[in-house]
């Protein structure tokens, strides 16, 4: 079973972001971590990152058309992109929202997710393990 793992803006530059919040894995290392975790769950992942809202929407359209389950870290788009929410809402297969940090422990603008309401579930605050836990949850949902 294939899973799309989509990552939003600035996650491609984890190497430049605050390590006290995001840890010290750069994006290539995070990608490898996700691929290894997926292999342990017998899932095949296609891990992508984009800073472009348009590209993420197009990937969600692709997932909706092909019925591919999605794990998405929408990054800052989480908090305001109704367009990504609407695209995600078209999926008829599970979509899990993940975050490296726990946005509820951070600035107030991060306390709103416009994505959570259409996600199967949300996993936040466990660093790279948020993705591993999402893959495990997905295995359960796909049974
Ligand atoms: C994030 C949390 C968002 O608030 C932030 O804009 C990000 C990363 C996370 O993974 O913790 O870019 O989604």
């Amino acid at each position: 079973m294939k899973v799309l793992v989509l990552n939003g803006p600035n996650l491609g530059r984890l190497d430049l972001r605050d390590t006290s919040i995001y840890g010290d894995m750069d994006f290539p290392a995070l990608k490898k971590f996700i691929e290894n975790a997926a292999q342990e769950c017998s899932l095949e992942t296609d891990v992508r990152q984009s800073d472009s809202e348009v590209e993420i929407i197009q990937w969600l359209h692709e997932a909706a058309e092909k019925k591919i389950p999605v794990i998405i870290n929408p990054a800052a788009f989480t908090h305001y992109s109704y367009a990504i929410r609407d695209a995600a809402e078209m999926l008829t297969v599970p979509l899990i929202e993940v975050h490296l940090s726990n946005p509820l422990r951070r600035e107030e603008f991060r306390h709103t997710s416009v994505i959570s309401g259409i996600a199967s579930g949300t996993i936040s605050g466990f660093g790279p393990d948020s993705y591993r836990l999402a893959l495990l949850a997905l295995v359960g949902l796909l049974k």
Side-chain angles (χ1 to χ4, degrees), residues 20-90:
S20 69
I21 296 172
Y22 295 111
D24 51 16
M25 246 187 222
D26 61 10
F27 188 74
L30 177 65
K31 185 171 187 281
K32 211 78 249 92
F33 177 90
I34 296 167
E35 286 163 354
N36 289 341
Q39 226 172 18
E40 281 169 23
C41 301
S42 305
L43 293 171
E44 186 196 326
T45 45
D46 183 350
V47 182
R48 304 180 189 177
Q49 188 276 327
S50 179
D51 296 326
S52 153
E53 190 176 23
V54 174
E55 197 166 27
I56 293 169
I57 290 167
Q58 287 167 345
W59 289 341
L60 287 167
H61 291 170
E62 178 189 338
E65 267 169 32
K66 298 183 182 162
K67 298 195 186 311
I68 306 172
V70 170
I71 292 172
I72 184 166
N73 183 345
F77 289 143
T78 305
H79 313 301
Y80 66 91
S81 176
Y82 299 121
I84 287 183
R85 179 197 164 105
D86 285 349
E89 200 173 19
M90 292 179 208

